[in-house]
Amino acid sequence: ASPEKIAGAMAIFDKLGLADSQMIRVLLANGGRHAIQAFLETPQTLATALQSLASDYGFQESSMMVILTYGNAMTVQALLASPEKIAGAMAIFDKLGLADSQMIRLLLAHGGRHAIRAFLETPEDLATALQS
């Protein structure tokens, strides 16, 4: 990545007050390929989605870090397109004590389109099935 792209992305995150957050540190240090790609190519969309998760949905940074670190292409696309779906699904998994589990990491990193769709569209059913 070019220094200009990184500087531009950081400027956007800085403008939104996210440049010095734990979230950006984790993204830059441990971010998955798709999250880093979103950071470089669509930083405004990513920053807005992350800010929305934190401010509108009370999303904990630890949950966002799981998505940024382990999220595959579909997960990151869902984050960019509809953060509210991600927030709703993660809230259900969190309520059941699964939000930071190995299972959710594997789902977000390696889940196929059907598993990711189930996570986004019927998270309660999926979480209940995984829990049992």
Side-chain angles (χ1 to χ4, degrees), residues 13-94:
F13 274 72
D14 189 37
K15 194 170 23 173
L16 294 175
L18 299 172
D20 196 33
S21 67
Q22 180 65 23
M23 192 174 19
I24 195 71
R25 291 180 187 144
V26 167
L27 172 64
L28 296 176
N30 302 319
R33 172 175 58 130
H34 302 290
I36 295 292
Q37 184 177 355
F39 173 74
L40 293 172
E41 294 177 7
T42 56
Q44 182 71 49
T45 306
L46 179 61
T48 303
L50 293 173
Q51 189 177 47
S52 173
L53 287 177
S55 62
D56 299 344
Y57 302 102
F59 220 60
Q60 299 301 311
E61 277 196 354
S62 60
S63 294
M64 287 187 262
M65 290 187 283
V66 168
I67 293 169
L68 294 174
T69 304
Y70 300 102
N72 67 13
M74 284 188 67
T75 306
V76 173
Q77 274 308 114
L79 170 66
L80 298 176
S82 50
E84 69 282 352
K85 279 191 173 185
I86 292 279
M90 286 299 282
I92 289 167
F93 275 73
D94 189 38

